[in-house]
Amino acid sequence: VTAPTATARRPVAPTASSTAPGARLQAVACCAPLGAPTLSDDEAVATAELFKALGDPARVRALNILSTTDAPVCICNLVEPLGLSQPTVSHHMKKLLDAGLVDREQRGKWAYFSLQRAAVEKLAAVADLKGDAR
Amino acid sequence: MRVNIGAMKAIATVAASCPPLLARPLDAAEASQLAAALKVLAEPARLRLLGLIQAQPGNEACVCHLTDPLGLSQPTVSHHLKVLLEAGLVERDKRGSWAYYRVLPGPLAALREVPGGPDPAATRAA
């Protein structure tokens, strides 16, 4: 197994195998503010799924690294800061991807991840305690 | 049932200092702290409880107001409230024979803080 290093971040043209955007979808309009007077069962379930994706230290750190880095981050550069094996990091990134919190782009042999901007707004909206009562 | 106010305050303090998720780099300990609070939120009944408490007059509620809307038994509601209390997501105030719960903003505020400061327009539009 080749040791993933920062030098792996060489310019490589994206291949046709790049993930199609929009492949993931949120079935329910997730994320009514928690402060909304009536949080429906469906909304609560969808929002709980979002928090489930975040309820893990490695995923919190991964999302935090993406958030505080300007450019998309190669998965090879997440292995060391997270202190986990690459398969484990891949597993965590898939959870974040499925939750719609990050975007994935295949560049050559490496996947690059970035924070999905809509996710930032989603999280902020969910954590809105004032809700409609404002 | 006696409530240990000191322990409660300590828990609340920890939660109030929950580091922001996206605004600045986190170390491993901060990430664990935040993940623990978020894990507690990964349960639909607890999310609905927070919403219900927040929707009550004065933004506080006693268990007696929370069982019917959720269709859950009082022991189940009390269990969820205990988990929320221990995670610092709510605070509790004993009055007579009832305990009143109030939502604490700490861990939730940690989600709202984003790089470059909050974007209220984007939040409102969402």
Side-chain angles (χ1 to χ4, degrees), chain A residues 30-50:
Chain A
C30 158
C31 311
L34 289 180
T38 49
L39 189 64
S40 75
D41 284 344
D42 285 350
E43 285 168 338
V45 169
T47 305
E49 282 299 314
L50 186 67

mmCIF file of all heavy atoms in Angstrom, chain A residues 30-50:
data_model
loop_
_atom_site.group_PDB
_atom_site.id
_atom_site.type_symbol
_atom_site.label_atom_id
_atom_site.label_comp_id
_atom_site.label_asym_id
_atom_site.label_seq_id
_atom_site.Cartn_x
_atom_site.Cartn_y
_atom_site.Cartn_z
ATOM 1 N N CYS A 30 -35.685 18.410 5.527
ATOM 2 C CA CYS A 30 -35.052 18.368 6.820
ATOM 3 C C CYS A 30 -34.913 19.767 7.327
ATOM 4 O O CYS A 30 -34.706 20.669 6.555
ATOM 5 C CB CYS A 30 -33.682 17.721 6.682
ATOM 6 S SG CYS A 30 -32.555 18.116 7.968
ATOM 7 N N CYS A 31 -35.069 19.856 8.554
ATOM 8 C CA CYS A 31 -34.451 20.919 9.242
ATOM 9 C C CYS A 31 -35.293 22.151 9.434
ATOM 10 O O CYS A 31 -34.873 23.252 9.166
ATOM 11 C CB CYS A 31 -33.129 21.223 8.607
ATOM 12 S SG CYS A 31 -32.234 19.698 8.402
ATOM 13 N N ALA A 32 -36.504 21.922 9.899
ATOM 14 C CA ALA A 32 -37.257 23.016 10.485
ATOM 15 C C ALA A 32 -36.513 23.406 11.754
ATOM 16 O O ALA A 32 -35.890 22.564 12.373
ATOM 17 C CB ALA A 32 -38.662 22.560 10.830
ATOM 18 N N PRO A 33 -36.539 24.690 12.107
ATOM 19 C CA PRO A 33 -35.854 25.094 13.337
ATOM 20 C C PRO A 33 -36.379 24.316 14.539
ATOM 21 O O PRO A 33 -37.578 24.047 14.621
ATOM 22 C CB PRO A 33 -36.220 26.580 13.470
ATOM 23 C CG PRO A 33 -36.670 26.996 12.128
ATOM 24 C CD PRO A 33 -37.220 25.782 11.449
ATOM 25 N N LEU A 34 -35.479 23.965 15.445
ATOM 26 C CA LEU A 34 -35.916 23.240 16.643
ATOM 27 C C LEU A 34 -36.889 24.076 17.461
ATOM 28 O O LEU A 34 -37.693 23.548 18.216
ATOM 29 C CB LEU A 34 -34.702 22.888 17.514
ATOM 30 C CG LEU A 34 -33.786 21.810 16.967
ATOM 31 C CD1 LEU A 34 -32.636 21.577 17.918
ATOM 32 C CD2 LEU A 34 -34.558 20.526 16.751
ATOM 33 N N GLY A 35 -36.812 25.379 17.297
ATOM 34 C CA GLY A 35 -37.687 26.254 18.061
ATOM 35 C C GLY A 35 -39.053 26.428 17.422
ATOM 36 O O GLY A 35 -39.916 27.112 17.965
ATOM 37 N N ALA A 36 -39.268 25.816 16.259
ATOM 38 C CA ALA A 36 -40.590 25.916 15.637
ATOM 39 C C ALA A 36 -41.608 25.217 16.529
ATOM 40 O O ALA A 36 -41.315 24.165 17.087
ATOM 41 C CB ALA A 36 -40.568 25.281 14.255
ATOM 42 N N PRO A 37 -42.797 25.816 16.684
ATOM 43 C CA PRO A 37 -43.776 25.252 17.617
ATOM 44 C C PRO A 37 -44.122 23.803 17.300
ATOM 45 O O PRO A 37 -44.308 22.999 18.190
ATOM 46 C CB PRO A 37 -44.986 26.152 17.438
ATOM 47 C CG PRO A 37 -44.455 27.416 16.869
ATOM 48 C CD PRO A 37 -43.256 27.043 16.055
ATOM 49 N N THR A 38 -44.231 23.486 16.031
ATOM 50 C CA THR A 38 -44.588 22.111 15.703
ATOM 51 C C THR A 38 -43.532 21.486 14.807
ATOM 52 O O THR A 38 -43.468 21.756 13.624
ATOM 53 C CB THR A 38 -45.942 22.057 14.968
ATOM 54 O OG1 THR A 38 -45.904 23.015 13.906
ATOM 55 C CG2 THR A 38 -47.081 22.361 15.905
ATOM 56 N N LEU A 39 -42.703 20.680 15.414
ATOM 57 C CA LEU A 39 -41.722 19.910 14.665
ATOM 58 C C LEU A 39 -42.402 18.574 14.381
ATOM 59 O O LEU A 39 -42.687 17.826 15.301
ATOM 60 C CB LEU A 39 -40.465 19.730 15.522
ATOM 61 C CG LEU A 39 -39.225 19.142 14.878
ATOM 62 C CD1 LEU A 39 -38.684 20.045 13.786
ATOM 63 C CD2 LEU A 39 -38.159 18.906 15.931
ATOM 64 N N SER A 40 -42.682 18.297 13.112
ATOM 65 C CA SER A 40 -43.420 17.082 12.790
ATOM 66 C C SER A 40 -42.547 15.849 13.018
ATOM 67 O O SER A 40 -41.332 15.952 13.129
ATOM 68 C CB SER A 40 -43.883 17.114 11.336
ATOM 69 O OG SER A 40 -42.787 16.855 10.487
ATOM 70 N N ASP A 41 -43.187 14.686 13.070
ATOM 71 C CA ASP A 41 -42.431 13.446 13.247
ATOM 72 C C ASP A 41 -41.395 13.282 12.142
ATOM 73 O O ASP A 41 -40.247 12.935 12.396
ATOM 74 C CB ASP A 41 -43.384 12.245 13.227
ATOM 75 C CG ASP A 41 -44.149 12.120 14.543
ATOM 76 O OD1 ASP A 41 -43.725 12.753 15.522
ATOM 77 O OD2 ASP A 41 -45.163 11.405 14.570
ATOM 78 N N ASP A 42 -41.835 13.539 10.887
ATOM 79 C CA ASP A 42 -40.931 13.364 9.750
ATOM 80 C C ASP A 42 -39.734 14.301 9.827
ATOM 81 O O ASP A 42 -38.592 13.906 9.569
ATOM 82 C CB ASP A 42 -41.679 13.598 8.424
ATOM 83 C CG ASP A 42 -42.580 12.428 8.090
ATOM 84 O OD1 ASP A 42 -42.477 11.389 8.778
ATOM 85 O OD2 ASP A 42 -43.390 12.555 7.152
ATOM 86 N N GLU A 43 -40.021 15.557 10.187
ATOM 87 C CA GLU A 43 -38.934 16.528 10.317
ATOM 88 C C GLU A 43 -37.968 16.113 11.419
ATOM 89 O O GLU A 43 -36.756 16.228 11.271
ATOM 90 C CB GLU A 43 -39.498 17.922 10.618
ATOM 91 C CG GLU A 43 -40.126 18.595 9.420
ATOM 92 C CD GLU A 43 -40.938 19.832 9.794
ATOM 93 O OE1 GLU A 43 -41.368 19.944 10.965
ATOM 94 O OE2 GLU A 43 -41.136 20.679 8.921
ATOM 95 N N ALA A 44 -38.542 15.634 12.519
ATOM 96 C CA ALA A 44 -37.700 15.225 13.649
ATOM 97 C C ALA A 44 -36.808 14.052 13.243
ATOM 98 O O ALA A 44 -35.629 14.012 13.593
ATOM 99 C CB ALA A 44 -38.560 14.850 14.853
ATOM 100 N N VAL A 45 -37.367 13.113 12.489
ATOM 101 C CA VAL A 45 -36.579 11.947 12.058
ATOM 102 C C VAL A 45 -35.461 12.383 11.111
ATOM 103 O O VAL A 45 -34.309 11.960 11.254
ATOM 104 C CB VAL A 45 -37.491 10.895 11.382
ATOM 105 C CG1 VAL A 45 -36.662 9.822 10.700
ATOM 106 C CG2 VAL A 45 -38.418 10.267 12.429
ATOM 107 N N ALA A 46 -35.790 13.264 10.162
ATOM 108 C CA ALA A 46 -34.791 13.732 9.195
ATOM 109 C C ALA A 46 -33.681 14.509 9.893
ATOM 110 O O ALA A 46 -32.501 14.345 9.590
ATOM 111 C CB ALA A 46 -35.451 14.595 8.129
ATOM 112 N N THR A 47 -34.079 15.353 10.836
ATOM 113 C CA THR A 47 -33.086 16.146 11.561
ATOM 114 C C THR A 47 -32.220 15.255 12.448
ATOM 115 O O THR A 47 -31.010 15.458 12.563
ATOM 116 C CB THR A 47 -33.775 17.228 12.413
ATOM 117 O OG1 THR A 47 -34.618 18.001 11.562
ATOM 118 C CG2 THR A 47 -32.757 18.156 13.053
ATOM 119 N N ALA A 48 -32.843 14.236 13.047
ATOM 120 C CA ALA A 48 -32.078 13.301 13.886
ATOM 121 C C ALA A 48 -31.021 12.577 13.048
ATOM 122 O O ALA A 48 -29.910 12.324 13.520
ATOM 123 C CB ALA A 48 -33.010 12.303 14.561
ATOM 124 N N GLU A 49 -31.363 12.259 11.793
ATOM 125 C CA GLU A 49 -30.391 11.602 10.907
ATOM 126 C C GLU A 49 -29.177 12.499 10.677
ATOM 127 O O GLU A 49 -28.040 12.036 10.620
ATOM 128 C CB GLU A 49 -31.050 11.269 9.558
ATOM 129 C CG GLU A 49 -31.933 10.037 9.615
ATOM 130 C CD GLU A 49 -31.151 8.769 9.992
ATOM 131 O OE1 GLU A 49 -30.070 8.549 9.427
ATOM 132 O OE2 GLU A 49 -31.616 8.033 10.875
ATOM 133 N N LEU A 50 -29.451 13.788 10.536
ATOM 134 C CA LEU A 50 -28.367 14.752 10.336
ATOM 135 C C LEU A 50 -27.439 14.765 11.555
ATOM 136 O O LEU A 50 -26.213 14.730 11.423
ATOM 137 C CB LEU A 50 -28.968 16.145 10.102
ATOM 138 C CG LEU A 50 -28.012 17.273 9.735
ATOM 139 C CD1 LEU A 50 -27.411 17.027 8.360
ATOM 140 C CD2 LEU A 50 -28.737 18.614 9.763
#
